[in-house]
Amino acid sequence: MKYWLMKSEPDTFSIDDLQRKGVEPWDGVRNYQARNFMRDGMKVGDRIFFYHSNTDVPGIVGIASVASPSYPDESQFHPKSKYYDEKSTREEPRWMLVDVKFERKLKRTISLDELKKHDELADMPLVRKGNRLSVMPVAKGDWDFILTLENA
DNA sequence: GCCAACGTTGGC
DNA sequence: GCCAACGTTGGC
């Protein structure tokens, strides 16, 4: 079992949207490193911190899980999609995704600001300046530590 | 809305 | 293969 963090802009797709839908294909990722994590790293059942970016209080708002093996992101084949990639083909799809399943909301948002205050988390890519990865691994120790903050 | 960071593209 | 230009992310 591995642990991950996935960013989403709540204006586009929030934790409430995921709760309503239950399961959602995580489409639109167009960064190779993030794709590789989904394609090569994720296994069904892995745990995910759901993170809200580009919002008033960016931070971790919920927990999800990986609900499918990786498969091609359908949106890359649709010319009308804003995620369309003309260089990708069905024979050799460039972009892969996984389905993400709602588990629960956190009792409170654990803000980026708060995460940065803990020296224990200084090695997380998330709190590093300039980091823009939208899918990243989380060390088990960091995962457990962050969950203790929920009740603090 | 600004802008730093950084990934991608394309000319050479 | 280098690197300048450009585009995007995302905190602030």
Side-chain angles (χ1 to χ4, degrees), chain A residues 45-59:
Chain A
D46 283 0
R47 313 289 284 173
I48 301 163
F49 277 141
F50 195 106
Y51 179 94
H52 280 173
S53 65
N54 242 318
T55 186
D56 283 358
V57 182

Side-chain angles (χ1 to χ4, degrees), chain A residues 5 18 22 29 31 35-38 40 50 57 60 69 73 81 91 101 124:
Chain A
L5 182 143
L18 184 63
V29 169
N31 169 284
R35 176 204 66 184
N36 292 348
F37 285 136
M38 288 197 286
D40 308 328
F50 195 106
V57 182
I60 297 167
D73 180 343
S81 167
E91 292 69 35
K101 180 175 146 201
M124 280 190 88

